């Protein structure tokens, strides 16, 4: 039996790995209700305005109130009352698990569970976990998701997002 050199093995792995990587990248582009809930939740706890991309139009539509701006304003007030900057109100969501409770063609109910920890900056959650500082809080919510213009979006009562 012929022995293969190390470089042949590496080349073979690269040739086989490239199509698998392409397959995974295409699979990641598929929009699902679970993906919509996770993307929204991460942005929500990071106080990132990009959460609006995953909220249904019915929930965002209001004549006089921008729901996202109102939520961020309330968080800024809460931070100020506690003597902090709004960055101290940011949280990182991790250990995320989703469970599909019901799913139809255009609507679904997704249960999301996980933990949040204060995330003042990107390094803080790592340091907090290493030194066991800062509290973690459990997240356990059931979120309604609808398909709107071919994309899954969260709808209904979303954590503590103000109701219009």
């Amino acid at each position: 039996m012929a022995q293969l050199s190390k470089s042949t093995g590496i080349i073979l792995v690269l040739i086989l790995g490239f199509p698998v990587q392409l397959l995974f990248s295409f699979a990641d582009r598929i929009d699902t209700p679970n993906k919509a809930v996770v993307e929204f939740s991460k942005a929500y706890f990071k106080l990132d305005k990009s959460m609006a991309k995953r909220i249904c139009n019915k929930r965002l539509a209001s004549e006089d109130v921008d729901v996202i701006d109102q939520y961020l304003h309330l968080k800024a007030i809460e931070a100020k009352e506690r003597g902090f900057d709004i960055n101290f109100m940011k949280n990182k969501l991790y250990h995320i698990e989703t469970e599909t409770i019901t799913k139809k063609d255009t609507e679904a109910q997704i249960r999301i569970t996980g933990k949040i920890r204060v995330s003042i900056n990107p390094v803080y959650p790592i340091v907090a976990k290493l030194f066991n500082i800062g509290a973690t809080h459990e997240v356990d919510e059931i979120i309604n998701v609808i398909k709107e213009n071919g994309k899954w979006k969260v709808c209904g009562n979303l954590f503590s997002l103000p109701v219009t």
Side-chain angles (χ1 to χ4, degrees), residues 1-163:
M1 184 172 192
Q3 267 190 324
L4 297 176
S5 68
K6 288 182 181 181
S7 60
T8 306
I10 291 172
I11 291 171
L12 191 60
V13 166
L14 291 175
I15 289 171
L16 293 174
F18 184 71
V20 171
Q21 186 63 37
L22 278 176
L23 181 69
F24 285 146
S25 67
F26 284 120
D28 190 44
R29 291 186 181 158
I30 296 172
D31 194 32
T32 65
N34 299 51
K35 184 177 180 181
V37 169
V38 170
E39 284 180 7
F40 166 76
S41 300
K42 284 182 174 181
Y44 173 85
F45 288 114
K46 275 198 283 185
L47 304 179
D48 187 352
K49 282 190 172 195
S50 69
M51 73 178 99
K53 294 177 187 173
R54 284 297 191 169
I55 299 176
C56 65
N57 290 335
K58 181 179 101 177
R59 188 73 167 85
L60 285 176
S62 176
E63 294 174 10
D64 22 324
V65 177
D66 182 348
V67 177
I68 306 300
D69 284 342
Q70 182 184 11
Y71 170 68
L72 295 176
H73 178 71
L74 291 173
K75 283 294 184 181
I77 290 171
E78 182 183 345
K80 190 173 182 178
E81 287 174 353
R82 294 171 63 185
F84 297 126
D85 183 61
I86 192 166
N87 288 334
F88 285 85
M89 301 303 287
K90 293 181 180 181
N91 290 289
K92 179 180 170 118
L93 180 64
Y94 62 100
H95 293 302
I96 305 165
E97 291 184 23
T98 59
E99 173 189 352
T100 304
I101 296 173
T102 62
K103 183 178 179 191
K104 298 177 186 168
D105 289 342
T106 58
E107 56 185 56
Q109 272 193 328
I110 307 296
R111 180 179 185 203
I112 184 167
T113 57
K115 296 181 179 185
I116 55 171
R117 184 185 292 264
V118 173
S119 179
I120 300 166
N121 62 45
V123 179
Y124 183 80
I126 298 166
V127 173
K129 190 168 186 165
L130 284 173
F131 295 103
N132 200 24
I133 56 175
T136 60
H137 303 281
E138 299 288 327
V139 173
D140 188 354
E141 285 282 327
I142 295 176
I143 297 179
N144 295 321
V145 187
I146 64 168
K147 198 164 200 174
E148 195 173 79
N149 300 325
K151 195 165 177 136
W152 288 100
K153 297 191 176 195
V154 297
C155 218
N157 292 335
L158 311 170
F159 301 108
S160 63
L161 200 63
V163 177

